[in-house]
């Protein structure tokens, strides 16, 4: 199984900050990574697929990059509505595996 | 696209439960579907997948105990949970599959396994 190591587990930011979350896969995942946002008590929402393709409705302040084993997800100009947990997902190989999650809080 | 799960509840260890996911707003029969779970305060774990042609794949943790199925005439996805353990306690989400990733998710249904 491919392990996805996501860091940091938690992150504190001020409004307007830029934050970055990373996911390292245990093997090359050929850019088949997606990023999800989950607000408390809600289902996850797909933000980005295939490393950097924004889903319809995803604000342009969200971005993704990476290749091989190493990937990152960034939010520029953090807004209050971005306070949530974020998860990466690899979908190159079965079984599908998620990173452990990053909880973004306001400083 | 709308996905609505039902069937959760409190069940004793070793017992069974069947979850349903009612789909609308898209051609259900054309899509693979997934179940993903989230233990209280924990991260996301993929559980099972069924393709549009009803091929299935399971996570090792549930293989032999859980069965995913679908009824395209009813636009409904199912997950039969047998021999339940306390570690199966979680919110169970159904999600639509899309060339590997999951695009739309239901609101989730809680399953609590406890005596």
């Amino acid at each position: 199984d491919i392990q996805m190591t996501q860091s940091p587990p938690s992150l504190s930011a001020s409004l307007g900050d830029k934050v970055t979350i990373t996911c390292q896969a245990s093997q090359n995942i050929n850019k088949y990574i997606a990023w999800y946002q989950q607000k408390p008590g809600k289902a996850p929402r797909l933000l980005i697929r295939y490393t950097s393709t924004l889903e319809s409705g995803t604000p342009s302040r969200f971005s993704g990059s990476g290749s091989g084993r190493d990937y990152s997800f960034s939010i520029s100009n953090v807004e209050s509505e971005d306070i949530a947990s974020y998860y990466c997902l690899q979908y190159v190989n079965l079984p599908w595996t998620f990173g452990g999650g990053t909880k973004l809080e306001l400083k | 696209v709308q996905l609505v799960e039902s069937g959760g509840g409190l069940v004793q260890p070793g017992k069974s439960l069947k979850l349903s996911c009612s789909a609308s707003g898209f051609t259900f029969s054309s899509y693979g579907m997934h179940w993903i779970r989230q233990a209280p305060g924990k991260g996301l774990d993929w559980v099972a997948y069924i393709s549009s042609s009803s091929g299935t794949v399971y996570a090792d943790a549930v293989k032999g105990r859980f069965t995913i199925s679908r009824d395209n005439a009813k636009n409904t996805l199912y997950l039969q949970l047998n021999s339940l353990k306390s570690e199966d306690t979680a919110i169970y989400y159904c999600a639509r599959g899309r060339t590997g990733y999951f695009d739309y998710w239901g609101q989730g249904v809680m399953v609590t396994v406890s005596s």
Side-chain angles (χ1 to χ4, degrees), chain A residues 36 38 43 49 87 91 96 98, chain B residues 38 44 46 93 100-102 106:
Chain A
Y36 293 86
Q38 186 179 32
R49 57 181 167 87
Y87 295 89
Y91 57 100
W96 290 266
F98 291 91
Chain B
Q38 186 171 34
L44 299 166
W46 169 79
Y93 296 99
Y101 57 94
F102 323 129

Side-chain angles (χ1 to χ4, degrees), chain B residues 55-94:
Chain B
T56 58
V57 186
Y58 297 92
D60 286 346
V62 307
K63 202 174 295 183
R65 299 189 299 121
F66 291 8
T67 302
I68 189 172
S69 61
R70 64 191 301 159
D71 184 335
N72 290 335
K74 294 183 177 180
N75 289 340
T76 302
L77 174 73
Y78 301 101
L79 186 67
Q80 176 71 44
L81 294 70
N82 296 334
S83 303
L84 281 161
K85 307 174 182 180
S86 58
E87 52 263 42
D88 296 319
T89 293
I91 297 171
Y92 286 74
Y93 296 99
C94 64

